[in-house]
């Protein structure tokens, strides 16, 4: 609505969803069969859109979505190639200079080639699994058990000291228009009034609240909630997020329609985008990480991080591995962070490491209750499942968040990196290419911004910064393509500069301090 902030628009949509949910009794309208008939084929009701906050679809989507599948993908491929042609010309022009300056030119060409490849895949090959059946499916599809037509969903949230935002989050969960839903909130010994708010909401919204009498940390708190969760699908969100009413339904629809998907990630943007220049830049950054990076991985069924704002798992794909997640150790000490990457890794790699992990925790009730077969699950991304999160508004909290993420990246690389090569050539290229880029980034920053000027090579620094700005501009234009009329695309080069000049340096610091940290959020 004109004049409203993103937060106000989102909350209006949530309120609408709450009234819709309150007005629907699934047992009366036939959306859910009675308990003895849960496996009867009952289609999910049509997905509602969050019209108050959704933006017009991107140009490629508008031009191609009504075409037949083969034609649509062919047109997308041609259009994406046409849009990326200028970058291809830059590559062709710079490639002959590679023998003269292999380090400087080679790094730039590698980064640009990877960016082009990821954009090409994301825009020419990705399809939303909640909207239509995917083209790339496993040959052994019949070995994946189908979910019930309307599976029961246990929606879990762990919280500690979030009095300012917890009510918005829980109300958005309760406003979901998915009919067969059980909401479980675990309070990890909050001391700021959060527990009192949850007590009031438990009565008003008919949700389950578990009050822990000892602070366990986020992972252990969620695992405690999972002990009571009996859903066919286990969904998670973060306490500083709000969800569109149809977000959960879209993720569940993707799992129901694709038995090979063990988990899916929603699409996250900044809720407090209008606060500062810093939050606007992060909003554009989030969009690219989901719409491009996750979309490219999703094409091959190998999304490596089902992100916390909306993470939806099949029970049989993840349940046996909760004790391994809670008891995760790294470098001889417990790893405290509730890393989304690690939980995703248990689904991605269970075909090769699952039996060993279950044997390690053979006495856990998560294993003894039912030992699910290890499968080569695929993991997807649902672009239409919208969720918003409060991003750091100031530099200090942002840096703390980034250090936490870097630590999770380091830990997960030593886990997922051991088996990712087994998932195929293209997923391996995307994964190991990203790992090498992150590892090389601080070295390249030192080489170009410190060593080169000291040796009189100031032009090398200028060339390096120009490349960083070029890459940021590419991502910014991709944002503009998907979000016509949104002027925030111009902030994307700022994030690229911040990443290259500052965030890359956090990797060695994060490794040196990896044993420190608590799970509570920075604000």
């Amino acid at each position: 609505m004109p004049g409203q902030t993103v937060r106000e628009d989102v909350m209006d949509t949530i309120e609408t969803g709450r009234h819709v949910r309150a007005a629907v009794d699934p047992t009366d309208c036939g959306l859910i069969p009675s308990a003895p008939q849960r496996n009867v084929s009952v289609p999910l009701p049509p997905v509602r859109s969050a019209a108050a906050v959704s933006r017009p679809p991107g140009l490629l989507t508008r031009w191609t979505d009504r075409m037949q599948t083969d034609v649509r993908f062919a047109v997308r491929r041609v259009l994406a190639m046409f849009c990326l042609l200028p970058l291809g010309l830059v590559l062709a022009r710079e490639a002959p200079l590679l023998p003269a300056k292999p380090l400087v030119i080679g790094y730039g060409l590698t980064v640009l080639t990877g960016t082009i490849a990821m954009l090409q895949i994301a825009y020419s090959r990705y399809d939303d699994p909640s909207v239509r059946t995917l083209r790339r499916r496993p040959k052994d599809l019949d070995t994946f058990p189908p979910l019930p037509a309307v599976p029961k969903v246990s929606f879990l949230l762990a919280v500690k000291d979030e009095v300012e935002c917890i009510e918005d989050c829980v109300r958005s969960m309760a406003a979901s228009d998915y009919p067969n839903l059980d909401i479980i909130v675990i309070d990890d010994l909050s001391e700021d009034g959060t527990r009192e708010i949850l007590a009031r909401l438990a009565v008003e919204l008919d949700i389950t609240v578990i009050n822990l009498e000892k602070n366990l940390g986020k992972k252990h708190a969620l695992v405690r909630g999972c002990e009571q969760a009996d859903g066919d699908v286990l969904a998670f969100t973060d306490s500083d997020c709000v969800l569109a009413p149809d977000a959960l339904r879209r993720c569940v629809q993707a799992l129901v329609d694709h038995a090979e998907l063990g988990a899916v990630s929603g699409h996250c943007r900044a809720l407090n985008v209008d606060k500062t220049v810093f939050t606007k830049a992060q909003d554009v950054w989030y969009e690219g990480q989901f719409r491009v990076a996750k979309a490219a991985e999703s094409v091959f069924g190998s999304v490596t991080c089902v992100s916390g704002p909306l993470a939806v798992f099949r029970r049989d794909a993840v349940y046996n591995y909760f004790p391994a997640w809670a008891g995760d150790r790294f470098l001889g000490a417990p790893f405290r962070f509730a890393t989304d990457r690690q939980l995703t890794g248990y689904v991605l790699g269970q075909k090769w490491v699952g039996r060993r992990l279950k044997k390690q925790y053979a006495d856990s009730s998560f294993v003894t209750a039912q030992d699910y077969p290890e499968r080569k699950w695929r993991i997807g991304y649902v672009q239409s499942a919208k969720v918003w999160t409060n991003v750091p508004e100031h530099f200090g909290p942002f840096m703390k968040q980034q250090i936490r993420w870097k630590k999770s990246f380091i830990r997960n690389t030593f886990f997922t990196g051991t088996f990712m090569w087994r998932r195929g050539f293209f997923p391996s290229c995307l994964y190991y290419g990203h790992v090498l880029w992150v590892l090389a980034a601080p070295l390249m920053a030192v080489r170009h911004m410190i060593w080169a000027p000291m040796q009189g090579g100031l032009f090398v620094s200028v060339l390096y910064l120009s490349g960083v700005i070029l890459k940021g501009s590419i991502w910014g234009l991709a944002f503009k393509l998907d979000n016509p009329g949104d002027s925030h695309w111009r902030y994307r080069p700022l994030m690229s500069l911040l990443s290259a000049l500052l965030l890359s340096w956090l990797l060695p610091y994060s490794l040196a301090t990896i044993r420190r940290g608590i799970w509570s959020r920075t604000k």
Side-chain angles (χ1 to χ4, degrees):
M1 298 179 187
Q4 284 191 297
T5 65
V6 170
R7 174 182 285 275
E8 289 170 336
D9 285 342
V10 171
M11 297 314 298
D12 283 349
T13 305
I14 291 169
E15 183 66 13
T16 301
R18 185 180 69 83
H19 289 303
V20 170
R21 181 173 172 80
V24 174
D25 182 350
T27 59
D28 287 342
C29 67
L31 299 181
I32 301 177
S34 58
Q37 299 176 312
R38 284 187 60 198
N39 290 324
V40 174
S41 179
V42 179
L44 291 174
V47 175
R48 296 176 61 252
S49 62
V53 292
S54 62
R55 295 181 172 88
L59 295 177
L60 291 181
T61 303
R62 293 210 307 268
W63 291 343
T64 63
D65 263 3
R66 294 185 179 180
M67 299 178 181
Q68 294 182 352
T69 300
D70 291 339
V71 176
R72 182 175 69 253
F73 276 98
V75 172
R76 282 188 182 181
R77 191 171 295 114
V78 171
L79 289 174
M81 290 178 63
F82 177 77
C83 293
L84 294 170
L85 181 60
L87 300 181
L89 296 177
V90 172
L91 281 177
R93 182 187 175 202
E94 297 298 325
L97 302 176
L98 183 61
K101 298 180 179 180
L103 183 61
V104 177
I105 301 298
Y107 177 74
L109 291 181
T110 300
V111 172
L112 188 57
T113 300
T115 302
I116 292 173
M118 188 174 293
L119 289 167
Q120 176 69 26
I121 294 169
Y123 283 99
S124 67
R125 305 286 295 276
Y126 171 76
D127 250 345
D128 189 322
S130 73
V131 175
R132 56 176 60 88
T133 303
L134 300 177
R135 289 204 312 167
R136 295 177 57 92
R137 308 194 70 182
K139 295 179 180 179
D140 59 344
L141 185 60
D142 57 348
T143 65
F144 294 90
L147 284 169
V150 186
K152 181 176 181 180
V153 176
S154 296
F155 202 178
L156 296 104
L157 168 69
V159 59
K160 176 174 168 46
D161 295 336
E162 293 283 6
V163 68
E164 294 180 359
C165 59
I166 188 59
E167 182 160 358
D168 287 348
C169 177
V170 174
R171 286 191 180 279
S172 76
M173 296 169 70
S176 170
D177 60 10
Y178 185 78
N180 196 4
L181 181 62
D182 181 24
I183 297 174
I184 302 174
V185 182
I186 309 97
D187 181 84
D188 195 20
L189 199 60
S190 293
E191 299 175 339
D192 67 342
T194 296
R195 183 164 290 195
E196 289 73 22
I197 294 175
L198 291 177
R200 171 169 51 83
L201 294 177
V203 175
E204 178 184 346
L205 303 177
D206 190 25
I207 63 176
T208 300
V209 176
I210 302 173
N211 291 315
L212 302 182
E213 298 306 320
K214 180 181 178 181
N215 178 249
L216 300 179
K218 183 177 181 180
K219 284 190 295 188
H220 291 276
L222 284 174
V223 170
R224 183 66 62 87
C226 288
E227 291 176 351
Q228 298 191 23
D230 61 353
D232 306 293
V233 172
L234 303 175
F236 305 89
T237 189
D238 289 334
S239 52
D240 57 353
C241 296
V242 296
L243 302 98
D246 63 345
L248 180 62
R249 179 196 296 276
R250 288 181 178 273
C251 289
V252 176
Q253 187 73 63
L255 297 179
V256 170
D257 292 345
H258 301 85
E260 71 274 23
L261 290 178
V264 292
S265 173
H267 180 93
C268 185
R269 295 284 295 274
L271 179 62
N272 54 339
V273 60
D274 303 308
K275 291 290 185 178
T276 65
V277 171
F278 208 44
T279 58
K280 293 174 183 176
Q282 289 176 81
D283 181 53
V284 182
W285 187 31
Y286 272 58
E287 169 76 8
Q289 294 305 306
F290 283 84
R291 173 60 184 95
V292 177
K294 278 183 173 36
E297 292 179 327
S298 181
V299 168
F300 307 106
S302 295
V303 174
T304 53
C305 182
V306 178
S307 300
L310 183 54
V312 184
F313 297 83
R314 285 183 55 138
R315 182 186 187 88
D316 51 353
V318 75
Y319 190 77
N320 292 152
Y321 306 98
F322 283 126
W325 187 50
D328 185 34
R329 298 178 66 86
F330 185 59
L331 296 179
F335 191 73
R336 301 178 181 180
F337 300 102
T339 169
D340 309 320
R341 288 182 178 275
Q342 192 69 9
L343 191 59
T344 305
Y346 296 135
V347 181
L348 278 176
Q350 67 181 249
K351 184 70 175 177
W352 305 284
V353 302
R355 180 54 55 185
R356 171 176 60 81
L357 290 171
K358 287 191 286 187
K359 185 177 180 180
Q360 185 179 352
Y361 295 92
D363 295 334
S364 170
S365 60
F366 285 96
V367 178
T368 58
Q370 185 168 357
D371 187 356
Y372 294 103
E374 302 86 28
R375 292 187 169 90
K376 190 179 178 180
W377 294 104
R378 297 192 174 192
I379 299 183
Y381 153 67
V382 182
Q383 183 187 359
S384 58
K386 307 297 186 182
V387 56
W388 295 265
T389 185
N390 283 293
V391 300
E393 297 176 11
H394 305 291
F395 182 75
F398 176 76
M399 292 298 288
K400 292 180 180 179
Q401 178 201 66
Q402 293 302 308
I403 291 171
R404 187 174 72 244
W405 287 2
K406 285 282 194 280
K407 291 180 179 181
S408 295
F409 168 81
I410 292 169
R411 192 278 167 267
N412 183 251
T413 298
F414 284 89
F415 178 76
T416 301
T418 62
F419 60 76
M420 197 64 192
W421 59 275
R422 296 175 179 266
R423 294 197 61 90
F425 176 75
F426 290 109
S428 298
C429 287
L430 287 174
Y431 177 78
Y432 293 112
H434 175 68
V435 169
L436 289 175
W437 178 80
V438 173
L439 295 177
L443 299 177
M444 291 297 103
V446 172
R447 167 66 177 80
H448 292 90
M449 299 306 299
I450 296 179
W451 177 256
M454 290 175 60
Q455 302 301 313
L458 187 59
F459 177 73
V460 173
S461 301
V462 174
L463 186 63
Y464 173 71
L465 291 176
S466 299
V468 170
I469 294 173
L470 173 63
K471 181 184 176 184
S473 299
I474 294 169
W475 286 87
L477 291 175
F479 174 89
K480 187 172 180 61
L481 185 68
D482 276 322
N483 301 272
D486 191 329
S487 62
H488 292 166
W489 67 272
R490 66 189 68 177
Y491 296 102
R492 187 55 178 83
L494 174 63
M495 284 303 302
S496 291
L497 285 171
L498 182 63
S499 177
L501 300 180
L502 184 60
L503 300 187
S504 62
W505 300 75
L506 297 180
L507 189 68
Y509 174 81
S510 299
L511 178 60
T513 61
I514 200 163
R515 295 191 182 186
R516 300 185 202 166
I518 56 176
W519 82 267
S520 60
R521 299 184 176 279
T522 56
K523 299 180 182 179

